[in-house]
Amino acid sequence: SPPPPHPPRHKSDFHNPVERHDTPSATPKQTPRRSGGGALICALFHDVEDGPELGRLIAVELLSSFRRQFGASLAKVGGGTPHINLNDFEPFHATIPVVLQGLLAPVLEGLMRVSGIKMSLLLSDDWRILHCTADGVDGLGLGANLEALSNLSEDAMGAYNDVFRSAVISGRGATRLHIFRLPYAQATLVVQSYRSTRASDFLKPVAETVRMCVKLFKLMDNLNLLSEM
């Protein structure tokens, strides 16, 4: 009797986002060879519950960092060097935690492409600025004011057996502040928007940013990287 068929593989078990960047080549018209290589690919396999966006973000940043660190070696390979010594890339192991800790920056910078948003910043649980999309922000003053506001809000919400999740500060100026307490690591996301823009126009990408930050905090916590930030 014929052997039983192999059980089908479920495509939903894992996402495998692959980001591809061309490597620099001294002979751009030359057809890439299998040994020389005309492209550098980073493939990342992760839990499907993380979502493809997280995998794509990590893959892109790892690939970019790898190219910055080993660009000269990659150029030699693209130029026709027949062999490559993988031991030359061993130092990249120490770079991976640094790359992961820096993933919050591109997530916040992505908010700057959203219409109506002027600035965004992320504060740690002890009110240090982890990343800010604008220069010249008084981190100590802002952190102290937000800490006082957060404590006051938590006391007020605690009276109703609730917790502080978000707040909006709107004065007479042209902008307003949206404050979001992340449901992990006690971090706080602050978004400055123009009052002329409806909040409904940008709250969805802000919510997506909050979810991505939470995923990154969980990832770094699992890798014991939070304490080093």
Side-chain angles (χ1 to χ4, degrees), residues 100-166:
L100 295 178
Q101 289 176 327
L103 290 176
L104 293 169
V107 172
L108 263 65
E109 294 293 340
L111 272 181
M112 303 313 297
R113 296 191 293 268
V114 178
S115 177
I117 292 181
K118 180 180 180 181
M119 180 273 296
S120 64
L121 63 89
L122 189 65
L123 297 161
S124 65
D125 58 346
D126 56 355
W127 305 101
R128 291 179 296 106
I129 293 182
L130 299 176
H131 184 72
C132 181
T133 60
D135 297 326
V137 175
D138 180 8
L140 292 177
L142 179 62
N145 290 332
L146 290 178
E147 182 178 13
L149 174 64
S150 177
N151 292 336
L152 179 62
S153 301
E154 288 177 352
D155 291 341
M157 298 302 293
Y160 296 93
N161 295 320
D162 204 346
V163 294
F164 169 62
R165 295 185 179 88
S166 63

Side-chain angles (χ1 to χ4, degrees), residues 206-218:
V206 169
E208 293 173 352
T209 298
V210 169
R211 286 193 291 269
M212 182 64 75
C213 288
V214 169
K215 291 179 181 179
L216 290 175
F217 277 125
K218 289 182 178 180

Side-chain angles (χ1 to χ4, degrees), residues 27-55:
T27 55
K29 294 183 180 180
Q30 180 182 3
T31 302
R33 301 192 303 266
R34 293 178 63 89
S35 59
L40 179 66
I41 297 175
C42 175
L44 180 74
F45 297 86
H46 60 88
D47 196 315
V48 66
E49 294 184 359
D50 293 332
E53 293 81 9
L54 178 63

Side-chain angles (χ1 to χ4, degrees), residues 78-90:
T81 302
H83 301 292
I84 186 170
N85 187 354
L86 296 180
N87 292 330
D88 294 342
F89 305 113
E90 282 294 325

